Amino acid sequence: MKKAIGRIYILIIMLFLYLPILTLIVLSFNEAKSMSVWTGFSLHWYAELFQSRLMMGAIVNTFSIAILAALIATIVGTMAVLGMSALKPRTENVLLGINNVPMLNADIVTGIALMLFFLMIGAPRGYMTVLFSHTVFCIPYVILSVRPRVNKNTNRLFEAALDLGASERYAFRKIVLPELWPGITSGFLLSFTMSVDDFIITYFTRGAGINTISTLIYSEVKIGIRPSLFALSTIIFVVALLVLIIVNIRQERANKHALA
Amino acid sequence: MSELIRLEGIVKRFDDTMVLNGIDLSVEENQFVTLLGPSGCGKTTTLRIIAGFETPDEGRVFFDGKDITNMPANERPVNTVFQNYALFPHMNVGENIAFSLRVKNKSEDEIRSRVKKALKLVNLKGFENRRIDQLSGGQQQRIAMARAIVNEPRVLLLDEPLGALDLKLRQEMEYELVRLKNELGITFIYITHDQEEALTMSDKVVVMNEGYIQQEGSPQEIYDEPVNAFVADFIGDSNIVPGQMVDERVVKIDGVEYPCIDGTEEGFPPRRRVDVVIRPEDIDIVPYGKGQWNGTIISKLFIGVHYEMLVQSEDGKVEWLLQNYDQHDVGEKIGMKVDPENIQIMHKPKSDAESAIEIDL
Ligand SMILES: Nc1ncnc2c1ncn2[C@@H]1O[C@H](COP(=O)(O)OP(=O)(O)OP(=O)(O)O)[C@@H](O)[C@H]1O
Ligand SMILES: [Mg+2]
């Protein structure tokens, strides 16, 4: 009895979480443009999606900005962590405190601030300003995820490597970097998702000519959403799901390996 | 034997606190030297200066007669076994040991055979492919040793390598370490705050406190002839009592005069106030009235092989600690005597660092 109630409870939660997405997926295959009536199966909207210059441009922008911003933020953030670890603990804590502020800040404040900054220095707004903004708001997250990997122990391992005759560069590459790696990859993935997810900051820092998926959807809402956007959302959802499954399977394998 | 390492007037400050106050130390080739002292006295700092991880503010470090004060750590012919082992967690045992050989670009064949040999030396044959987190504390300790010796350093620095092990394993490893040192024929500089460990393994013990070297010498010398109350107190249980020289080779303690073997020649002229050390096992129990002084047993504790007793001296203010194989009852009145050569006369402490550690109860 208890078990049955538990199962029903889980089922309801799953329905609430996934029914909207399911609706979206179903509608993306709908023949008509209607959002309520099923008229038949078709890949029509997918075709429209891939033929639309506007949409393909937005997709390319979104993902190229996400990858580049995550990459740059990861490199800059990791270097910042290494630099800060050499400071006195008090100075470092102050810097880490400052690092937390942008994360707590409302996106709209960050977005407007960046926009004003670009206006002030007279930078033409477009792809580069969005990329710059995304890099900027991702750096704190990278610092936050890499920082815990740099501790007394990392320093001891580094010294042990030097003690065994390694040059500083070799010791860093062979010993310190593998220690930081989990933090670096999670910082990168976090940055990537944050960037793909972002709407507000992009909205304020993009120029007239460029769109990402989120700003494109926003502008389409005003003139009426086309089901090709459902198709796009479906693709993004499936890709995210696949990535998640792969990551989980790999983790499971790693855990099993660790136990063996 | 020739001198291998020499520290000259090493001074080290962290921020504004003095950590080393002018350390002079000489280590001979093939010696087993132990730095012994309470927590925070500067042992690790001294070792890190020898290893090259810390630069002294003043003073010089010599290796084989050459000044290496500013030589970077990775060029020094010394290797370290760290207190927490510092094994590389993402490498297996074989890769850990091979690290210093890889750095030197040795051939794979040579690496394999030398790793094998090192593992055999530490009694862990066939452990090449184990992961670090699959090892017990004692095994990790041995791997840290193997990694440090595989490249045949001339000096091995060991920072409390047995600190994390339980008592039984620690005693086993003490033998292992001495065996290893003899097999390798290299110099060991060893840190511990365990006086027993220091006395059993070393050729030379260096007792440190508050950044000063208090005394150095063979374990026997340190134990039998401590130069001040700190050393006497740190090396095992002792009676440390105030006294005064009353004549050549006669000291007065607690109202009683005792013949001893120190006088003006040793720096203790008559009338000089001194501290006296008498080891608890050096006080013999004799029938009441037959000894040099008398007392009443006020407590008794059986600790394994012998009894430890606290004796209140008759019409005196001193409580004596005695160790004896024979059983005596609390309340029993006894006589006591001590041989002149077991009375160790010391100068009064000139500073806090030289006084015995006060333990508030
Ligand atoms: N990097 C550092 N910065 C500031 N103070 C330090 C540093 N390293 C050591 N000290 C201080 O120097 C003193 C001596 O430290 P050291 O590590 O040499 O002691 P130790 O004798 O090895 O003690 P233990 O037995 O506890 O390991 C301590 O008071 C410690 O706080
Ligand atoms: Mg230490």
Side-chain angles (χ1 to χ4, degrees):
Chain A
M1 183 64 193
K2 253 190 188 161
K3 238 183 178 174
I5 293 181
R7 286 218 178 118
I8 293 169
Y9 184 69
I10 296 257
L11 198 73
I12 292 175
I13 289 187
M14 294 300 245
L15 279 180
F16 269 113
L17 284 177
Y18 289 104
L19 207 54
I21 296 172
L22 201 66
T23 323
L24 181 105
I25 293 175
V26 170
L27 284 178
S28 75
F29 294 108
N30 197 358
E31 168 122 59
K33 203 181 161 188
S34 163
M35 290 196 211
S36 48
V37 191
W38 178 258
T39 55
F41 180 86
S42 136
L43 288 175
H44 172 69
W45 301 115
Y46 285 85
E48 183 180 299
L49 167 67
F50 287 110
Q51 277 155 13
S52 160
R53 267 256 189 90
L54 208 61
M55 288 209 192
M56 290 314 282
I59 293 172
V60 170
N61 282 341
T62 301
F63 287 101
S64 68
I65 286 174
I67 288 172
L68 284 175
L71 207 63
I72 300 170
T74 305
I75 293 169
V76 174
T78 305
M79 293 200 317
V81 167
L82 291 173
M84 285 195 304
S85 68
L87 296 172
K88 290 205 176 112
R90 280 207 27 209
T91 328
E92 195 193 357
N93 279 334
V94 171
L95 283 180
L96 283 174
I98 294 174
N99 179 56
N100 285 337
V101 175
M103 289 187 288
L104 299 173
N105 213 349
D107 277 0
I108 188 138
V109 179
T110 313
I112 292 178
L114 281 163
M115 179 186 71
L116 290 177
F117 170 71
F118 293 135
L119 286 177
M120 193 185 77
I121 64 168
R125 282 179 300 148
Y127 189 90
M128 291 313 284
T129 49
V130 175
L131 177 61
F132 179 84
S133 308
H134 281 216
T135 308
V136 166
F137 79 71
C138 285
I139 289 174
Y141 292 93
V142 175
I143 291 179
L144 202 69
S145 56
V146 178
R147 170 59 230 185
R149 310 289 311 183
V150 181
N151 49 33
K152 248 198 183 136
N153 201 37
T154 336
N155 195 39
R156 286 195 196 118
L157 295 178
F158 182 66
E159 282 187 348
L162 293 187
D163 189 69
L164 293 166
S167 66
E168 299 200 355
R169 181 193 287 259
Y170 188 88
F172 179 79
R173 205 157 43 88
K174 291 280 178 181
I175 304 301
V176 178
L177 211 52
E179 280 296 295
L180 304 186
W181 200 242
I184 292 176
T185 48
S186 71
F188 177 85
L189 288 175
L190 202 60
S191 300
F192 180 81
T193 29
M194 300 282 302
S195 169
V196 171
D197 244 16
D198 177 72
F199 165 69
I200 300 178
I201 294 172
T202 314
Y203 184 75
F204 282 107
T205 55
R206 81 196 174 106
I210 104 145
N211 261 318
T212 62
I213 295 171
S214 58
T215 59
L216 182 71
I217 294 177
Y218 180 75
S219 53
E220 296 253 310
V221 167
K222 285 188 257 177
I223 49 171
I225 291 186
R226 296 182 64 75
S228 52
L229 275 177
F230 302 160
L232 174 56
S233 305
T234 302
I235 292 174
I236 293 177
F237 174 76
V238 171
V239 169
L241 194 70
L242 282 177
V243 169
L244 216 71
I245 289 172
I246 291 169
V247 167
N248 270 323
I249 288 176
R250 285 187 52 176
Q251 220 155 40
E252 199 65 20
R253 282 220 191 112
N255 284 347
K256 254 191 210 142
H257 188 78
L259 289 176
Chain B
M1 280 201 276
S2 61
E3 182 182 75
L4 191 58
I5 289 181
R6 187 157 40 111
L7 303 185
E8 264 181 26
I10 299 290
V11 171
K12 181 72 188 172
R13 293 178 208 91
F14 284 116
D15 302 322
D16 287 327
T17 43
M18 270 296 214
V19 173
L20 297 177
N21 281 297
I23 297 288
D24 295 301
L25 181 66
S26 160
V27 176
E28 280 170 9
E29 192 134 26
N30 261 330
Q31 232 179 359
F32 194 130
V33 176
T34 300
L35 304 183
L36 174 67
S39 189
C41 72
K43 304 181 297 285
T44 298
T45 308
T46 309
L47 207 70
R48 287 172 60 81
I49 285 173
I50 298 174
F53 297 125
E54 221 72 79
T55 334
D57 296 319
E58 285 167 41
R60 318 236 44 104
V61 182
F62 294 92
F63 187 93
D64 228 358
K66 230 175 67 207
D67 187 338
I68 60 162
T69 317
N70 295 316
M71 186 188 275
N74 48 20
E75 289 169 23
R76 298 193 183 195
V78 301
N79 280 141
T80 310
V81 177
F82 295 87
Q83 183 160 12
N84 41 19
Y85 316 139
L87 295 172
F88 306 133
H90 59 280
M91 294 181 177
N92 65 20
V93 167
E95 287 303 307
N96 261 280
I97 300 176
F99 189 84
S100 64
L101 304 172
R102 287 259 146 73
V103 167
K104 291 224 163 94
N105 281 324
K106 300 280 188 225
S107 75
E108 281 304 312
D109 280 347
E110 186 180 348
I111 291 178
R112 211 168 310 121
S113 75
R114 280 173 74 171
V115 167
K116 204 167 159 192
K117 202 173 127 211
L119 276 172
K120 197 173 148 212
L121 262 176
V122 297
N123 285 334
L124 286 179
K125 252 192 197 159
F127 269 59
E128 277 93 340
N129 293 321
R130 295 282 189 100
R131 289 157 49 98
I132 296 302
D133 53 12
Q134 294 172 331
L135 303 174
S136 72
Q139 288 168 340
Q140 289 188 9
Q141 204 279 327
R142 286 160 198 255
I143 299 302
M145 289 287 301
R147 187 179 71 175
I149 60 178
V150 73
N151 211 7
E152 294 165 3
R154 293 186 59 191
V155 180
L156 196 59
L157 309 176
L158 303 103
D159 192 350
E160 302 199 29
L162 310 183
L165 308 180
D166 60 48
L167 185 67
K168 180 128 190 334
L169 197 55
R170 211 158 69 212
Q171 286 166 345
E172 252 174 64
M173 287 304 295
E174 282 173 22
Y175 287 103
E176 292 265 314
L177 277 176
V178 175
R179 170 187 66 83
L180 209 58
K181 185 195 162 291
N182 293 337
E183 253 169 71
L184 294 166
I186 59 176
T187 310
F188 272 34
I189 302 181
Y190 188 93
I191 287 188
T192 180
H193 57 247
D194 182 315
Q195 46 100 4
E196 215 175 291
E197 223 171 271
L199 295 182
T200 29
M201 294 194 286
S202 327
D203 300 319
K204 171 157 131 180
V205 178
V206 179
V207 184
M208 292 176 66
N209 193 28
E210 297 186 2
Y212 292 97
I213 290 183
Q214 300 295 326
Q215 185 174 4
E216 51 177 283
S218 70
Q220 196 73 41
E221 278 164 11
I222 299 274
Y223 190 82
D224 289 342
E225 293 154 36
V227 295
N228 59 41
F230 173 80
V231 178
D233 194 42
F234 200 74
I235 306 289
D237 300 320
S238 333
N239 296 290
I240 305 171
V241 289
Q244 188 174 19
M245 303 303 294
V246 289
D247 209 342
E248 275 302 319
R249 302 181 201 288
V250 178
V251 64
K252 187 170 173 180
I253 308 163
D254 205 24
V256 181
E257 290 181 7
Y258 299 84
C260 64
I261 53 169
D262 291 307
T264 312
E265 262 170 60
E266 286 79 19
F268 303 103
R271 306 184 56 78
R272 173 71 54 91
R273 294 196 172 276
V274 294
D275 275 335
V276 180
V277 177
I278 303 176
R279 296 281 175 198
E281 67 271 22
D282 290 336
I283 301 177
D284 295 328
I285 297 181
V286 295
Y288 184 79
K290 296 269 167 67
Q292 291 167 294
W293 79 110
N294 298 311
T296 312
I297 299 174
I298 54 174
S299 75
K300 180 183 79 174
L301 209 60
F302 180 62
I303 44 174
V305 198
H306 57 259
Y307 293 91
E308 212 167 80
M309 284 163 277
L310 220 48
V311 177
Q312 178 76 52
S313 68
E314 213 166 51
D315 51 61
K317 289 176 242 30
V318 178
E319 278 178 12
W320 296 91
L321 182 70
L322 270 65
Q323 285 173 359
N324 206 291
Y325 293 113
D326 299 323
Q327 155 117 269
H328 292 271
D329 293 324
V330 174
E332 190 180 329
K333 284 176 183 297
I334 54 166
M336 288 165 286
K337 77 180 187 27
V338 58
D339 291 340
E341 61 269 23
N342 287 331
I343 295 180
Q344 172 68 20
I345 311 284
M346 307 181 304
H347 292 287
K348 282 276 186 197
K350 289 188 282 290
S351 71
D352 275 357
E354 293 181 4
S355 17
I357 305 169
E358 302 262 337
I359 300 170
D360 295 319
L361 291 173

